[in-house]
């Protein structure tokens, strides 16, 4: 914060800070070098504010202006070593609340001077000068409320005991210690087990034995990758009442941070508008100050149906939102509220509630009729295309070639509710699409929302939801803010992940749609390390983390300048002809740190003159990173949000249209280092991984009442296709440069157990190959009469018994600390096998075809109608090629069991002992595939013809194999040969 003369300006009054006793620039605080003149410091002390506004260190300790033991000691008697600003400017990277690292001045100067003549940039400079001049005439008392909330908290914290907003509760030692002991014991037993298996080959069935050994080793590695990230699970408790007491004081402006909601939808015929509308209504009615909430709906299909249904939704919200807040109803999605089978009169003491509820339900039914009429009308597109009410053609008639569209509903200048109160802002967004551009599907749509929201509202936090995930807990935002707005916890948090909960799933959860084991066990384990992975919905982001910056407390990389980084790379080139991955990673991180430093230094940009600004910021660096929008670039510098003062409100919509143009992201870092990351259909995993690699941590928030609820596909085919998409995304990440096996080692910011968890997320589809082989082994053994395990000795029996015991104990102790039911664990185990031998297998081959050969293969689903009232979709059968491998395994093992028993009956009592082990493994496969078999059968006595044909075909094939083996005659032939050999 240097002027040309070397004397900084006071951050309070805007005047020069003046000179100290040694004719050097006066320093108010030696801890953070906060620029403040001597008079302002004395005024602060007289008013009782004796701590630095930035770092919270008392001025007495920092400057020596006040003696902590005797206030009447003259300041001239205190000897303080005043240093110049130039001397302390290098210490910014190690102190201060938001200090990160200092950018390379020489490198930035060379870039900024090259583009110093840019007229747009000069206009921004002029606007900053006007702001600086205005600040000089504003009194200090009017200026104080503009101090960021976090700094105000830090100012007050040393003087008063502030209650914590959240608390981490470790798992009790009597539950977690035995769990860890069994894990270590199981690891040791695995080593002894494999020692026995490898040193005792089965010569008579060497091929089968070798296959089983390879499969078992892979399963052991997969278990390690899945188990050890759950080493330190934690629980968390939030205190929303304390949050309100601190930031919503009576008689004072609300200081809660704003939040922008993102809702994404594509095809209104596959994603019903009524479901999307319920999600939007639940957001608009959330228990949070209305001026702090904005909802952005992304229509990536540019459908007029979505737009018109949103118009109806905005109108209905004028009645629905005040009704929800007046009676504090839950949930605040009308479809799910009115469908609850509960006594809605319970705890409702208002005499008018029953009457108003009936009227609201009637209004909602009428609203549904209007929306359903729009849906029916949209079933057939007119030949001339859709036309809006004013007679003009709908701009999005061609979903692949249309301009960007933005419509603002409600909000500050829109319609108020029926009581005359303000409503949250609702914005419809459909980004521009043109032929020849890559639009990156959902990830591209989310990045467009990031830019639009930054221009229009620029809330510091973003909460994204799928169109079918509504707000089930109206205090969900407050739950997340207990972490984000905590000065100790929130500064290093990139996102808060809420668990996914679902409606409309059958009680037995046949296909493990609830994913209880993942959300209640794995995610809580990751929360004890570096945080849960991002799962795509129900996530509250720190906007600065989405911009690619590192956390405030990030340690500096060992570099003094960008030239040094290049020197490092050059020296590596001299040694190995190719820069090492660590050096390249460090260079990429150094470029990130340059932007971090620019944001820190520009946080008080009004105090810079044009020359010093050119030293601290490179226009080209920002434009190459964020794109050619000066309004958006300035919004990225505002860490605490808010629309930039230099932007003209009349041009904001025009600028918002500009940032969603299809060519805006070209030659920028969008999708590479900024926003949602491109390169995988599971952009959520990749985006969270990049953030964790930069040193951020995430937090898992599990309120007592689920924060959000959604819908999940419950029939077999749709469930398998959902799993196929997830697995395909993991394979794509494995084959990309972001693979956790080799990416992100340079900074050393990703913890080891966190890396193991991410490695597990990209390797699990490959388990399908050994799993199919292992599930085939029992049938092959039964058909051939061979086995993969030799005759067991006493020691070997102990290892086998110990292995099975440790597996059972691990599961039991995991259930004990997590609270998951044994039925959920068993369903998860079953579907692990079902998905592994079907969807995961196809994902591996499809991923390699797509990434290596450029062949994009799709497996389509053809639906048959179901007519059951309750869970009718559960019995709906949709033929897909994903059903072939598990069907084959079922038939093979069933044929093998029949063949095994036939062989035992023919061979005598000595064959029953080996048969037991073979049949045990065959039944293990059949039991795990039993839900799949029920899915194939549909409803009782209504087996689909295609399944019967497959069963007959496969049974015929293996019957021929059985005849080829010929067990009934093999023994007789052997006896005959023996008789001949001894000349009977």
């Amino acid at each position: 914060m240097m002027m040309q003369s070397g004397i900084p300006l006071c951050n309070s009054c805007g005047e020069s800070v003046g000179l100290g006793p040694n004719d050097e620039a006066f320093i108010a605080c030696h801890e953070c070098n906060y620029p403040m003149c001597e008079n302002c410091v004395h005024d602060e002390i007289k008013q009782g504010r004796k701590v630095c506004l930035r770092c919270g260190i008392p001025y007495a300790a920092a400057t020596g202006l006040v003696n902590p033991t005797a206030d009447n000691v003259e300041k001239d008697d205190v000897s303080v070593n005043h240093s110049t600003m130039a001397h302390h400017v290098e210490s910014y990277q190690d102190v201060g609340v938001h200090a990160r690292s200092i950018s390379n001045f020489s490198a930035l100067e060379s870039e900024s001077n090259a583009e110093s003549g840019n007229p747009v940039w000069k206009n921004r400079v002029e606007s900053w000068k006007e702001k600086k001049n205005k600040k000089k005439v504003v009194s200090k008392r009017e200026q104080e409320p503009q101090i960021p909330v976090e700094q105000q908290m830090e100012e007050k914290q040393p003087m008063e005991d502030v209650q914590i907003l959240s608390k981490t509760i470790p798992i009790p030692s009597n539950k977690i210690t035995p769990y860890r002991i069994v894990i270590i014991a199981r690891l040791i037993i695995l080593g002894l087990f494999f020692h026995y298996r490898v040193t005792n080959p089965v010569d008579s069935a060497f091929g089968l034995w070798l296959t089983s050994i390879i499969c078992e080793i892979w399963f052991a590695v997969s278990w390690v990758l899945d188990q050890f990230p759950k080493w330190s699970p934690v629980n968390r408790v939030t205190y929303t009442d304390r949050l309100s007491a601190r930031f919503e004081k009576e008689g004072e402006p609300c200081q809660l941070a704003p939040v922008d909601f993102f809702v994404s939808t594509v095809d209104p015929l596959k994603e019903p508008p009524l479901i999307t509308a319920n999600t939007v209504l639940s957001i608009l009615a959330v228990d949070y100050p209305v001026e702090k909430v904005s909802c952005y709906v992304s229509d990536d299909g540019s459908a007029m149906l979505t737009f018109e249904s949103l118009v109806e939704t905005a109108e209905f919200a004028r009645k629905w939102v005040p009704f929800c807040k007046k009676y504090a109803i839950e949930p605040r999605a009308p479809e799910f509220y009115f469908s609850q089978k509960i006594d809605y009169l319970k705890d409702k003491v208002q005499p008018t509630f029953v009457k108003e509820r009936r009227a609201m339900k009637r209004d909602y039914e009428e609203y549904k009729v209007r929306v359903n009429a729009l849906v029916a009308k949209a079933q057939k597109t007119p030949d001339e295309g859709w036309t809006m009410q004013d007679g003009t053609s709908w701009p999005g008639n061609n979903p692949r070639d249309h301009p960007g569209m933005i419509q603002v509903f409600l909000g500050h200048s829109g319609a108020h509710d029926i009581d005359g109160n303000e409503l949250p802002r609702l914005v419809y967004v459909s980004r521009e699409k043109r032929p020849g551009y890559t639009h990156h599907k959902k990830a591209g749509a989310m990045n467009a929302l990031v830019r639009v929201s930054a221009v229009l509202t620029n809330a510091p936090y973003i909460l994204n939801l799928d169109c079918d995930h509504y707000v089930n807990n109206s205090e969900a935002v407050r739950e997340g803010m207990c972490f984000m707005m905590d000065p100790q916890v929130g500064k290093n948090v990139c996102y808060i992940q809420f668990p996914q909960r679902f409606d409309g799933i059958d009680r037995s959860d046949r296909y493990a749609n609830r994913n209880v084991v993942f959300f209640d066990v794995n995610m809580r384990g990751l929360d004890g390390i570096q945080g849960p992975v991002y799962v795509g919905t129900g996530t509250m982001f720190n906007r600065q983390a989405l911009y690619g910056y590192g956390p405030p407390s990030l340690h500096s990389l060992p570099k003094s300048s960008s030239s040094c980084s290049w020197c490092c790379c050059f020296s590596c080139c001299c040694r190995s002809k190719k820069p090492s991955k660590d050096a390249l990673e460090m260079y990429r991180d150094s470029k990130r740190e340059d932007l971090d430093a620019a944001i820190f230094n520009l946080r008080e940009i009004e105090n810079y003159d044009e020359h010093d600004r050119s030293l601290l910021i490179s226009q080209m660096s920002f434009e190459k990173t964020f794109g050619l929008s000066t309004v958006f670039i300035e919004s990225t510098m505002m860490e605490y949000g808010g629309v930039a003062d230099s932007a003209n409100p009349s041009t904001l919509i025009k600028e918002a249209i500009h940032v969603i143009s299809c060519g805006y992201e070209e030659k920028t870092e969008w999708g590479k280092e900024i926003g949602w990351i491109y390169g995988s259909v599971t952009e959520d995993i990749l985006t969270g991984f990049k953030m964790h690699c930069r040193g951020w941590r995430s937090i898992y928030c599990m309120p007592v009442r689920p924060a959000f609820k959604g819908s999940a596909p419950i029939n077999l085919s749709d469930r398998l296709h959902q799993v196929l998409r997830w697995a395909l995304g993991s394979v794509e990440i494995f084959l990309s440069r972001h693979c956790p096996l080799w990416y992100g080692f340079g900074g050393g910011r990703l913890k080891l157990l966190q890396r193991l968890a991410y490695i597990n997320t990209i390797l699990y589809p490959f388990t399908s190959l050994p799993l199919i082989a292992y599930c085939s082994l029992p049938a092959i053994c039964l058909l051939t009469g061979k086995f993969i395990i030799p005759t067991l000795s006493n020691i070997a029996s102990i290892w086998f018994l110990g292995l099975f015991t440790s597996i059972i104990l691990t599961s039991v102790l995991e259930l004990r600390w997590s609270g998951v039911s044994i039925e959920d664990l068993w369903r998860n185990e079953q579907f692990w096998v079902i998905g592994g031998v079907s969807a995961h297998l196809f994902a591996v081959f499809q991923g390699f075809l797509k990434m290596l050969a450029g062949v994009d293969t799709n497996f389509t689903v053809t639906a048959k109608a179901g007519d059951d009232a309750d869970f009718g979709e559960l019995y709906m059968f949709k033929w897909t090629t994903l059903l072939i491998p598990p069907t084959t395994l079922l038939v093979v093992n069933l044929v093998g069991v029949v063949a095994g028993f036939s062989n035992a009956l023919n061979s005598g009592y000595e064959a029953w002992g080996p048969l037991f082990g073979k049949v045990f493994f065959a039944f293990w496969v059949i039991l795990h595939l039993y839900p799949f078999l029920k899915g194939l059968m549909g409803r009782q006595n209504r087996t689909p013809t295609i399944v019967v044909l497959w069963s007959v075909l496969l049974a015929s094939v293996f019957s021929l194999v059985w005849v080829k083996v010929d067990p009934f005659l093999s023994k007789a032939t052997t006896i005959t040969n023996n008789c001949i050999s001894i000349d009977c």
Side-chain angles (χ1 to χ4, degrees):
M1 291 175 286
M2 297 282 293
M3 298 194 314
Q4 288 182 351
S5 61
I7 305 300
L9 298 177
C10 174
N11 192 64
S12 181
C13 64
E15 301 296 336
S16 173
V17 298
L19 300 177
N22 299 328
D23 293 331
E24 295 175 346
F26 175 78
I27 303 296
C29 177
H30 286 281
E31 290 294 325
C32 66
N33 301 292
Y34 190 58
M36 209 169 191
C37 68
E38 191 170 352
N39 293 331
C40 289
V41 173
H42 280 293
D43 290 341
E44 290 288 309
I45 293 173
K46 288 178 182 178
Q47 294 177 15
R49 294 186 289 270
K50 300 182 180 181
V51 296
C52 176
L53 291 175
R54 173 179 289 160
C55 65
I57 302 298
Y59 287 124
T63 67
L65 290 173
V66 179
N67 191 318
T69 58
D71 292 340
N72 58 351
V73 177
E74 295 294 334
K75 64 179 180 180
D76 295 335
D77 296 334
V78 181
S79 59
V80 179
N81 182 21
H82 292 283
S83 302
T84 63
M85 284 293 288
H87 174 76
H88 285 282
V89 79
E90 296 177 358
S91 65
Y92 275 31
Q93 58 184 340
D94 299 320
V95 295
V97 181
H98 302 289
R100 293 179 173 92
S101 60
I102 294 300
S103 57
N104 184 334
F105 282 16
S106 60
L108 293 177
E109 182 180 10
S110 63
E111 291 185 12
S112 61
N113 290 340
E115 294 293 328
S116 59
N118 190 310
V120 178
W121 197 253
K122 286 186 175 181
N123 290 337
R124 296 182 65 213
V125 170
E126 293 300 325
S127 67
W128 287 328
K129 284 184 177 181
E130 292 177 5
K131 287 178 61 181
K132 182 174 69 174
N133 295 331
K134 290 180 181 179
K135 282 181 68 70
K136 290 183 179 180
V137 298
V138 176
S139 64
K140 292 184 298 178
R141 190 172 300 276
E142 293 175 347
Q143 194 176 10
E144 284 177 6
Q146 297 177 5
I147 299 174
V149 175
E150 286 78 357
Q151 289 189 12
Q152 294 179 16
M153 289 161 43
E154 289 164 12
E155 175 190 358
K156 298 176 183 178
Q157 202 165 6
M159 297 184 291
E160 59 183 22
D161 184 17
V162 179
Q163 290 182 315
I164 59 174
L165 300 179
S166 64
K167 186 167 73 172
T168 302
I169 304 177
I171 304 298
S173 58
N174 63 341
K175 293 182 179 181
I176 197 64
T177 302
Y179 177 65
R180 292 171 176 170
I181 292 174
V182 170
I183 290 174
I184 298 299
R186 181 174 172 181
L187 192 63
I188 296 172
I189 293 172
L190 268 176
L192 298 172
F193 170 79
F194 282 120
H195 178 267
Y196 167 78
R197 292 283 282 129
V198 173
T199 55
N200 291 271
V202 181
D203 296 329
S204 61
F206 186 80
L208 297 178
W209 169 83
L210 182 61
T211 302
S212 67
I213 289 292
I214 295 173
C215 294
E216 289 164 3
I217 291 175
W218 181 269
F219 295 150
V221 173
S222 299
W223 172 76
V224 170
L225 294 176
D226 179 70
Q227 188 69 65
F228 279 90
K230 297 182 284 190
W231 185 261
S232 302
V234 296
N235 295 316
R236 295 185 185 272
V237 175
T238 56
Y239 304 101
T240 55
D241 54 339
R242 297 179 183 178
L243 180 79
S244 298
R246 185 181 301 183
F247 298 108
E248 293 182 291
K249 294 181 180 179
E250 188 175 354
E252 297 182 7
C254 177
Q255 295 180 344
L256 289 174
V259 59
D260 289 337
F261 282 82
F262 290 176
V263 179
S264 58
T265 183
V266 181
D267 187 350
L269 298 180
K270 294 181 179 179
E271 300 166 335
L274 196 60
I275 298 299
T276 303
N278 271 268
T279 300
V280 171
L281 289 168
S282 68
I283 293 172
L284 298 178
V286 73
D287 182 15
Y288 207 69
V290 292
E291 71 276 7
K292 306 285 185 177
V293 176
S294 299
C295 178
Y296 292 83
V297 179
S298 171
D299 176 19
D300 218 31
S302 65
M304 187 172 170
L305 171 58
T306 303
F307 178 83
E308 289 184 330
S309 64
L310 210 58
V311 173
E312 293 288 349
T313 302
E315 182 63 25
F316 179 71
R318 298 177 62 240
K319 302 177 182 178
W320 174 250
V321 172
F323 172 76
C324 293
K325 294 188 176 182
K326 182 177 180 180
Y327 297 108
I329 66 170
E330 296 284 1
R332 298 189 178 181
E335 182 69 26
F336 301 95
Y337 170 69
F338 289 123
S339 63
Q340 291 181 115
K341 297 179 181 179
I342 60 173
D343 181 11
Y344 63 86
L345 297 177
K346 185 179 180 181
D347 298 329
K348 301 296 182 183
V349 296
Q350 296 92 336
T352 59
F353 171 71
V354 177
K355 180 180 178 181
E356 291 193 25
R357 186 184 185 277
R358 289 173 180 170
M360 183 56 59
K361 188 173 183 180
R362 183 171 59 252
D363 288 339
Y364 178 63
E365 293 298 331
E366 294 174 357
Y367 161 75
K368 285 174 63 176
V369 170
R370 293 194 299 270
V371 173
N372 289 331
L374 293 174
V375 175
K377 177 183 174 182
Q379 297 297 321
K380 184 178 181 181
T381 305
D383 296 335
E384 66 279 5
W386 296 107
T387 304
M388 294 186 289
Q389 293 181 358
D390 60 359
T392 59
S393 178
W394 171 247
N397 275 320
N398 186 347
R400 294 185 177 88
D401 186 5
H402 64 85
M405 295 178 284
I406 296 177
Q407 176 65 49
V408 180
F409 301 99
L410 307 177
H412 306 294
S413 59
H416 293 152
D417 64 26
I418 57 175
D419 296 331
N421 299 318
E422 188 176 313
L423 288 169
R425 182 174 301 189
L426 176 61
V427 185
Y428 169 87
V429 179
S430 182
R431 58 182 173 141
E432 181 186 19
K433 287 189 176 181
R434 300 298 181 191
Y437 287 91
T438 304
H439 299 102
H440 302 288
K441 298 182 180 179
K442 181 182 177 181
M446 298 303 290
N447 285 337
L449 287 185
V450 172
R451 298 191 293 273
V452 168
S453 62
V455 171
L456 297 181
T457 52
N458 197 32
Y461 303 109
I462 293 170
L463 202 159
N464 83 291
L465 294 172
D466 287 345
C467 63
D468 60 344
H469 275 70
Y470 64 91
V471 181
N472 183 65
N473 183 348
S474 62
E475 292 196 345
V477 181
R478 296 178 182 271
E479 296 276 354
M481 287 302 174
C482 285
F483 300 106
M484 287 297 195
M485 298 191 70
D486 191 311
Q488 301 300 322
V489 178
K491 60 183 179 180
N492 292 324
V493 175
C494 55
Y495 60 83
I496 309 294
Q497 180 63 62
F498 294 87
Q500 291 186 22
R501 306 301 186 197
F502 302 97
D503 289 317
I505 297 177
D506 59 302
R507 294 185 198 87
S508 63
D509 194 11
R510 182 186 296 178
Y511 307 121
N513 283 282
R514 292 190 178 95
N515 284 326
V516 176
V517 174
F518 174 75
F519 286 112
D520 288 15
V521 180
N522 296 59
M523 296 286 270
R524 288 166 68 186
L526 290 175
D527 197 17
I529 310 171
Q530 200 171 345
V533 299
Y534 169 40
V535 296
T537 183
T539 315
M540 179 183 289
F541 283 97
N542 182 335
R543 188 182 285 267
Q544 292 293 314
L546 281 173
Y547 289 155
Y549 299 110
S553 62
L554 186 66
H555 61 274
S556 298
L557 290 173
K559 78 176 188 71
S560 58
S561 68
S562 59
S563 59
C564 292
S565 297
W566 280 113
C567 291
C568 177
C569 293
F570 179 75
S571 62
C572 293
C573 291
C574 295
R575 291 193 301 268
S576 61
K577 298 182 181 180
K578 184 179 181 180
S580 67
K581 290 178 181 176
D582 285 353
L584 290 175
E585 188 68 26
M586 288 172 61
Y587 175 71
R588 282 195 293 267
D589 287 342
S590 71
K591 299 302 290 181
R592 293 275 60 152
E593 288 189 351
D594 285 343
L595 291 178
D596 287 345
I599 279 196
F600 166 62
N601 288 301
L602 288 168
R603 201 162 280 121
E604 295 163 359
I605 196 167
E606 295 86 353
N607 293 332
Y608 287 90
D609 62 14
E610 187 173 358
H611 173 74
D612 287 319
R613 259 195 305 275
S614 66
L615 296 177
L616 296 176
I617 183 173
S618 166
Q619 177 191 354
M620 288 303 296
S621 177
F622 274 84
E623 291 185 349
K624 287 179 180 178
T625 302
F626 295 114
L628 300 174
S629 172
T630 55
V631 175
F632 175 76
I633 290 175
E634 189 169 356
S635 73
T636 65
M637 303 173 188
M638 307 174 71
E639 186 170 355
Y640 304 110
V643 179
D645 294 336
S646 60
N648 187 350
S650 62
T651 62
L652 285 182
I653 292 294
K654 182 179 179 181
E655 192 69 23
I657 291 290
H658 169 58
V659 298
I660 61 172
S661 59
C662 56
Y664 182 84
E665 295 182 355
E666 287 192 339
K667 299 180 181 180
T668 66
E669 294 296 321
W670 285 101
K672 302 172 186 175
E673 299 291 334
I674 300 174
W676 272 257
I677 306 302
Y678 304 150
S680 171
V681 294
T682 52
E683 69 288 331
D684 45 7
I685 296 293
L686 197 52
T687 302
F689 174 61
K690 292 277 286 188
M691 292 182 181
H692 284 135
C693 285
R694 295 188 188 111
W696 293 94
R697 72 151 295 132
S698 55
I699 284 180
Y700 198 49
C701 182
M702 298 179 65
V704 176
R705 180 180 178 87
F708 310 101
K709 278 191 174 183
S711 58
I714 63 173
N715 70 71
L716 177 61
S717 301
D718 288 349
R719 173 67 166 145
L720 288 178
H721 274 265
Q722 181 189 57
V723 174
L724 170 64
R725 188 177 64 84
W726 294 343
L728 177 59
S730 295
V731 176
E732 289 174 342
I733 297 174
F734 174 77
L735 297 174
S736 71
R737 73 180 184 92
H738 291 118
C739 178
L741 288 170
W742 52 72
Y743 181 84
F745 282 94
R749 296 158 186 164
L750 191 67
K751 295 184 179 180
L752 175 62
L753 293 182
Q754 193 80 12
R755 186 176 295 278
L756 290 182
Y758 274 111
I759 291 174
N760 186 46
T761 62
I762 57 104
L763 285 184
Y764 78 89
F766 296 94
T767 305
S768 60
L769 301 175
L771 185 60
I772 280 200
Y774 209 73
C775 289
S776 303
L777 285 176
I780 297 174
C781 292
L782 287 166
L783 290 172
T784 59
K786 299 176 181 179
F787 201 35
I788 57 176
I789 300 175
T791 303
L792 296 179
S793 62
N794 292 333
I795 297 296
S797 301
I798 293 175
W799 301 144
F800 273 88
L801 182 62
L803 181 62
F804 282 110
T805 303
S806 65
I807 291 173
I808 295 173
L809 283 177
T810 304
S811 301
V812 170
L813 293 174
E814 201 167 84
L815 297 179
R816 186 166 173 254
W817 67 255
S818 66
V820 174
S821 68
I822 191 170
E823 182 182 13
D824 289 325
L825 184 69
W826 174 238
R827 291 301 186 198
N828 183 79
E829 181 75 13
Q830 286 180 312
F831 197 78
W832 174 73
V833 176
I834 295 172
V837 300
S838 57
H840 297 173
L841 178 68
F842 278 75
V844 171
F845 288 105
Q846 185 177 355
F848 275 95
L849 286 173
K850 182 178 180 181
M851 302 299 291
L852 301 181
V855 179
D856 193 0
T857 308
N858 293 316
F859 302 96
T860 58
V861 179
T862 303
K864 260 186 190 175
D867 54 5
D868 279 12
D870 295 328
F871 305 113
E873 192 181 354
L874 178 65
Y875 307 102
M876 190 182 299
F877 182 80
K878 303 177 182 180
W879 174 250
T880 170
T881 47
L882 296 178
L883 303 178
I884 296 176
T887 304
T888 305
L889 286 175
L890 267 173
V891 174
V892 167
N893 279 277
L894 288 172
V895 171
V897 169
V898 174
F901 277 102
S902 301
N903 187 30
L905 290 171
N906 185 58
S907 301
Y909 290 106
E910 66 276 5
W912 288 94
L915 177 66
F916 175 77
K918 301 173 187 178
V919 171
F920 172 80
F921 286 111
F923 273 113
W924 179 90
V925 176
I926 294 171
L927 282 176
H928 278 77
L929 293 177
Y930 177 69
F932 175 83
L933 180 61
K934 289 186 68 175
L936 284 182
M937 302 301 289
R939 281 203 275 169
Q940 192 175 7
N941 300 326
R942 289 185 58 182
T943 306
T945 306
I946 189 68
V947 178
V948 176
L949 293 176
W950 260 102
S951 301
V952 171
L953 176 63
L954 292 174
S956 302
V957 171
F958 287 101
S959 296
L960 294 175
V961 175
W962 176 246
V963 172
K964 179 67 177 177
V965 174
D966 205 6
F968 295 102
L969 298 177
S970 58
K971 187 175 182 66
T973 305
T974 304
I975 295 175
T976 304
N977 292 338
N978 289 338
C979 291
I980 294 174
S981 63
I982 61 175
D983 197 17
C984 299

